[in-house]
Amino acid sequence: MNFLVMLFMLICSAVLQAVAPSSPLLGEARIPLLLSVVMYYGLARDLRLMVFAGIVGGFFQDALGLLPLGYSSFVYCLVGWAMSRFKDIVFVHEAVTHMLFGALGAAAAVLMMYGLISMAELQAYPFASALHKALGSFVLGAVVAPFVFIASKRLDQWVGNVQEKESSW
């Protein structure tokens, strides 16, 4: 049931991320819903689920963003792995943690994608634009990640993947 819930969250996130408008004020950054789902699995669940979420979420991101397949999967798995490294030393179920990790993870993902695209010389993209987009992603990640974490946790509880007593919410 874990994989079905994860797939449902990823599909819903991909659809919402695809239809949500971007803003020039935020560097045309997209709302990091897919990445937030991966970060949820990195912080609150086990590594196996996070890797699967990272691969599938990255595939959806690459398909939506017209990037070569695999770039976002690699970045999402790295960000999710980094999140999972801290889950024993942070308050996993606190909104402040979600905001901080959402902001840092989204900005890091944009900068890592910039690095991958620049190294492969796929397109000329000025670093100032990437930094502007990373700052926009930082803001969007801080706002969106807590809601994605809450929705994912509630859905996991609703279907019985996680017990109510395991949560501090």
Side-chain angles (χ1 to χ4, degrees):
M1 194 59 123
N2 286 320
F3 290 106
L4 291 176
V5 170
M6 178 194 316
L7 193 60
F8 176 76
M9 287 299 297
L10 288 170
I11 290 171
C12 290
S13 296
V15 169
L16 288 173
Q17 187 171 314
V19 299
S22 59
S23 169
L25 182 64
L26 297 173
E28 297 297 334
R30 306 296 289 184
I31 298 173
L33 293 170
L34 287 166
L35 181 61
S36 296
V37 173
V38 174
M39 289 189 293
Y40 163 75
Y41 281 97
L43 270 180
R45 306 300 302 275
D46 69 355
L47 191 61
R48 175 180 53 98
L49 291 171
M50 184 281 303
V51 169
F52 184 77
I55 291 170
V56 174
F59 175 77
F60 287 161
Q61 177 66 36
D62 288 340
L64 291 172
L66 301 174
L67 295 168
L69 292 179
Y71 278 53
S72 294
S73 294
F74 176 71
V75 169
Y76 282 12
C77 286
L78 280 179
V79 170
W81 175 78
M83 301 293 157
S84 70
R85 300 287 294 160
F86 290 102
K87 71 179 170 184
D88 293 332
I89 60 173
V90 298
F91 296 108
V92 174
H93 302 294
E94 297 296 326
V96 173
T97 304
H98 303 159
M99 290 175 69
L100 178 65
F101 278 58
L104 293 176
V110 168
L111 293 175
M112 283 190 278
M113 284 299 295
Y114 170 77
L116 286 174
I117 290 171
S118 295
M119 286 188 332
E121 298 177 4
L122 295 176
Q123 70 185 65
Y125 195 61
F127 182 71
S129 296
L131 190 59
H132 187 206
K133 188 172 185 174
L135 290 173
S137 293
F138 184 88
V139 171
L140 290 172
V143 172
V144 170
F147 295 108
V148 172
F149 275 64
I150 289 169
S152 298
K153 182 71 169 185
R154 293 292 182 209
L155 188 58
D156 271 339
Q157 289 173 343
W158 185 62
V159 299
N161 291 340
V162 177
Q163 300 301 321
E164 284 283 335
K165 61 185 174 188
E166 293 177 18
S167 173
S168 61
W169 291 328

